[in-house]
């Protein structure tokens, strides 16, 4: 999956599958997600991070600017393994945004949740934001999650993202690149995960389909 703003669509065309957080509800007709969001709030507020959900002592602490908000409409399943996949996936999504905010393609938090192919692609994705001196901002909603666990050590997760209220924010000018809501504001993601030796569900592969009818209201 990829979530990049229109500016970065050209800059990072080689990235075909990236993390789970995306941006822009714009008019990009590619199947790759656009992501770098802006918000209706004052961009200068980004200097005052707000703590996200608490994490275990072994997990990186993720603190994001107050203008980045998330809604995960995927209720608990009652299955401990499936619920752990959903919980770690939420953190992995936020961790990528943290790296973008930090303008650091080697940020520790996202590398805690991504390995292999997905880690390499996500690094390129974050680097494109850093080169553009832009970051994510706005409101993201995730829904229609379908999780499957096999053998207790591998899993798949398919879910939707609504990027209609997410935009690109350019750091030097504080300009927010707002785009209208279109069918391309809705992205379908498919990820493959494994439980590592620390018991963390890490993303190994990730792909996306922008404008998916399955995700549109």
């Amino acid at each position: 999956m990829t979530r990049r703003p229109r500016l970065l669509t050209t800059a990072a065309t080689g990235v075909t599958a990236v993390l789970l957080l995306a941006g822009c509800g714009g008019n990009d007709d590619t199947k790759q997600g656009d992501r770098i969001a802006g918000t209706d709030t004052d961009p200068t507020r980004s200097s005052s991070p707000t703590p996200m959900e608490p994490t275990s002592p072994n997990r990186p602490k993720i603190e994001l600017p107050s203008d980045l908000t998330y809604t995960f409409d995927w209720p608990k399943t009652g299955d401990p393994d499936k619920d752990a996949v959903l919980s770690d996936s939420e953190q992995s999504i936020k961790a990528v945004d943290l790296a973008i905010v930090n303008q650091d393609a080697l940020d520790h938090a996202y590398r805690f949740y991504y390995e292999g192919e997905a880690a390499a692609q996500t690094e390129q994705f974050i680097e494109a934001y850093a080169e553009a001196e832009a970051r994510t901002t706005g409101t993201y909603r995730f829904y229609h999650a379908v999780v499957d666990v096999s053998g207790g050590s591998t899993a798949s997760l398919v879910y939707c993202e609504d990027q209609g209220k997410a935009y690109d924010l350019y750091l030097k000018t504080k300009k927010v690149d707002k785009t209208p809501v279109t069918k391309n504001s809705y992205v379908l993601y498919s990820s493959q995960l494994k439980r590592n030796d620390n018991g963390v569900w890490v993303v190994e592969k990730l792909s996306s389909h922008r404008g998916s009818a399955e995700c549109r209201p």
Side-chain angles (χ1 to χ4, degrees):
M1 67 189 257
T2 64
R3 304 130 118 170
R4 61 178 74 95
R6 288 179 297 176
L7 169 65
L8 300 187
T9 300
T10 301
T13 52
V15 184
T16 57
V18 191
L19 70 193
L20 308 119
L21 251 14
C24 284
N27 298 318
D28 181 4
D29 292 328
T30 67
K31 289 185 179 180
Q32 316 220 354
D34 301 4
R35 172 150 163 67
I36 283 189
T39 182
D40 293 332
T41 60
D42 183 355
T44 60
R45 292 178 59 193
S46 62
S47 60
S48 302
T50 298
M52 303 306 291
E53 293 86 344
T55 56
S56 69
N58 294 327
R59 296 168 185 269
K61 186 176 182 180
I62 299 177
E63 294 183 342
L64 289 165
S66 59
D67 60 278
L68 272 169
T69 60
Y70 306 83
T71 299
F72 292 93
D73 288 331
W74 46 38
K76 289 187 176 181
T77 67
D79 180 286
D81 287 337
K82 291 183 178 180
D83 289 340
V85 169
L86 292 173
S87 178
D88 283 346
S89 293
E90 291 183 15
Q91 294 303 309
S92 70
I93 288 172
K94 295 173 183 177
V96 174
D97 277 347
L98 178 62
I100 294 173
V101 168
N102 292 337
Q103 300 281 279
D104 184 359
L106 297 178
D107 196 74
H108 167 67
Y110 93 83
R111 290 164 65 87
F112 185 89
Y113 290 104
Y114 291 84
E115 293 183 1
E117 178 182 312
Q121 292 168 332
T122 302
E123 180 180 340
Q124 293 178 47
F125 171 66
I126 297 166
E127 182 61 37
Y129 271 93
E131 290 178 357
E133 297 184 296
R135 76 163 179 86
T136 58
T137 183
T139 299
Y140 298 93
R141 184 171 74 91
F142 301 89
Y143 53 102
H144 291 176
V146 177
V147 58
D148 182 66
V149 177
S150 177
S153 59
T154 61
S156 64
L157 174 62
V158 177
Y159 61 95
C160 294
E161 180 184 31
D162 179 355
Q163 301 176 356
K165 295 182 179 179
Y167 313 96
D168 298 349
L169 171 63
Y170 296 91
L171 301 177
K172 281 190 174 180
T173 64
K174 303 301 181 183
K175 177 183 177 182
V176 173
D177 185 16
K178 292 191 175 182
T179 52
V181 176
T182 70
K183 68 177 183 179
N184 291 319
S185 303
Y186 305 95
V187 187
L188 177 68
Y189 294 100
S190 178
S191 62
Q192 296 180 24
L193 308 93
K194 74 171 184 180
R195 193 202 303 265
N196 66 16
D197 293 340
N198 295 318
V200 178
W201 286 99
V202 297
V203 182
E204 293 189 300
K205 293 185 178 181
L206 192 59
S207 61
S208 67
H209 178 193
R210 179 169 292 282
S212 171
E214 182 176 339
C215 295
R216 298 201 298 268

